[in-house]
Amino acid sequence: MTHPLRLGIAGLGTVGIGVVKIVRQKAALLEARTGRPIEITAVSARTRRKDRGVNLDGYAWEDDPVKLAQREDVDVYVELMGGSNGPAKASIEAAIAAGKDVVTANKALLALHGQALAESAEAVGRVIRFEAAVAGGIPVVKALTEGLAGNEITRVMGVMNGTCNYILTRMESAGLSYEEVFKEASDLGYLEADPTLDVGGIDAGHKLALLASIAFGTKVDFEAVRLEGIERITSEDIAAAADMDYKIKLLGVAQMTGRGLVQRMTPCLVPDSSPLGQLQNATNMVVIEGDSVGQIVLRGAGAGEGPTASAVMADVLDIARGIRLSTFGQPAASLKPAKVAEVSVPAPYYLRLKLQDKPGALAKVAKVLGENGISIDRMRQYGHADTTAPVLIVTHKTDRDALDNALEEFAKTGVLEAEPVAIRIETV
Amino acid sequence: MTHPLRLGIAGLGTVGIGVVKIVRQKAALLEARTGRPIEITAVSARTRRKDRGVNLDGYAWEDDPVKLAQREDVDVYVELMGGSNGPAKASIEAAIAAGKDVVTANKALLALHGQALAESAEAVGRVIRFEAAVAGGIPVVKALTEGLAGNEITRVMGVMNGTCNYILTRMESAGLSYEEVFKEASDLGYLEADPTLDVGGIDAGHKLALLASIAFGTKVDFEAVRLEGIERITSEDIAAAADMDYKIKLLGVAQMTGRGLVQRMTPCLVPDSSPLGQLQNATNMVVIEGDSVGQIVLRGAGAGEGPTASAVMADVLDIARGIRLSTFGQPAASLKPAKVAEVSVPAPYYLRLKLQDKPGALAKVAKVLGENGISIDRMRQYGHADTTAPVLIVTHKTDRDALDNALEEFAKTGVLEAEPVAIRIETV
């Protein structure tokens, strides 16, 4: 094939412009690798008049991304506008109806409508690819879909929101509070317009739901992701965790268990000597575990112009090379509804308690744990100046139900000076 | 396509049996993912009568792998015998001539004959795939060829021989000598029949040469890899490096410079806080740097039945899915001869010297460095009981030539009690 592959790009923000730059600046390299020229024929964005630092004169302009998606001279519709509905969805639907392949970085859209979009694309023999939607430049969708396709995947984990990891590592390194670092991140422009998407774990939860679908052959089920953000993590917890050789991460875990699929995006403790524990700043990491391969760790930039554009181009170049895969690794129509596990996998937990500094206080707490079948792995009581004794406990593996019971019963003992903090320790 | 993809497997050692197990035990999963059944029709190995723990009765047997490769009922010839010549080469040539696709884990063969084999395969529209040849279960060939295809690759680095990394980390953790750990590794069966392949860096050098070809669009040039093994690394060096916050790794580096392609597989110091520095035991790691994506790190098991079979299956499943790529990412005929860089990239170096404990000894050494334009970043002299003063120096970036000059001139100063040790510090 020597006819060019023609792209129509909707969305000329950071990533869109990054893609334009790669196509322009590395034309010869891309053609050498794929055997055909890659061209941009048309673009679309909210505002035409704006200096984006690259010359767009050679490309047709469409105000309406739906029109762009339908153009005769477009082979691949590249959707980089974002948004879980509205123009992104309408234009991708239009592209499929018009027989175009689709490349998108839109995790929210796919987490909510991926199944329907994939089914309609596959019904007409078109592909939807989304490497850039998960963990930026890390080729994790490809690794999971293709590179590890000989494995029954047992668990997928990841730190997939760079902003949250930046906040947590900065809280530790600078000894600042969550509120202080949140403000810093906001001033630096690291946060989404709606910061809950980041710090509430929603953005990372979208990504996890997409990986889970590929890993387990199940329909994307974002609703079933248990979400918990980092808003309640204190610098006290970070310091205490560090003292017990752990780091706190906003960690996504998708795991197939005998009782169904577990999907969580929650703060977890991980050993500080593990690759996840050592992950600093805004870098992303995905850990994939398969029955044959064991554990594979992938690390790289999770956002930014270059990394995200690199991932978009990987999908474009696959299409140029004639690689045609089902959106989620097997035909969408064959994906099964995920049976949602009602019970989480037992794990050790970290507990931080503020006890009254009175004889018998610790005994009461220990009794509650014992009665709920929770045994203690490590315990530390710190020196203190006031009448409150800070106590850290690392439990052995326990059911979340037993732990929740214990937390309730703690309140009845009357020896706690504050709400107890309990954070899961993920075995990595 | 619903007709099965039929495999002929030559070589029934650990990896071959691993592949047989995956095909048998995960038939439904593989078919769901690729849309067609994967079957084994025929196998070959040196000895037929041997209990391999799996039932091979359903497969035709060939004593001669060439015959296996030519069988009518084989679509993909899977070469897992190893060896850089002989039956492996002859059978792959036969497979190509008979119009079969080829999957192999044979790094030595491809490092020496990959260009010719790829050209002949591509001339008849067949593919040769080799994910399992590099870094075991880590899908690094795919990441580099496809996932990062939008990048101009600037550097590829890696710890790609698990045995060497096991030896080096074990020397550190147990405080043992190279000879002691070498014997341990030998007793544990970790070493190749010819251990020079491992500890001399040859095996890892083969892998590096393959990655360099994909990364830079150049013909595989194993002869140009500067090889240096780990045989001369002492526990003294490991301890001294640790004291300066470095680890010693057998590190492969392929880098395109203004003066040509650099390929090295040599002991290097890397910061102990870097992902490479933290790599323990037999685990492998590949670091890929691209102009758009920045740095991507891939980590996983570099050998063993499951991980290597996982990589073989990734190639098989790609073929089943109709993914057809050039062996080295672009047509073999279009790969250019690598211009070999005569000069290595400047780097800081670690020097360990044993000086006579006399006034002026250190001054003489420092003078030699200064005269060669080498400036000192950090220096440590240790307390000592005898008349020899151990001195560690970390230099600023310097040319290797200048360093070699300095090392020569050190001898003339008459203050050195032993050969100086110089190890490159790779900026990672």
Side-chain angles (χ1 to χ4, degrees), chain B residues 159 161-171 173 190 249 277-285 299-300:
Chain B
V159 168
N161 183 282
T163 304
C164 287
N165 205 53
Y166 169 81
I167 291 175
L168 293 170
T169 54
R170 173 91 179 133
M171 282 171 72
S173 62
Y190 284 9
K249 298 289 171 193
Q278 288 159 354
L279 194 68
Q280 294 286 311
N281 303 318
T283 311
N284 280 21
M285 181 175 284
R299 180 186 190 276

Side-chain angles (χ1 to χ4, degrees), chain B residues 331-353:
Chain B
S334 74
L335 296 168
K336 295 184 179 58
K339 177 170 176 280
V340 179
E342 297 299 332
V343 188
S344 64
V345 180
Y349 281 82
Y350 151 99
L351 305 177
R352 184 166 59 81
L353 311 175

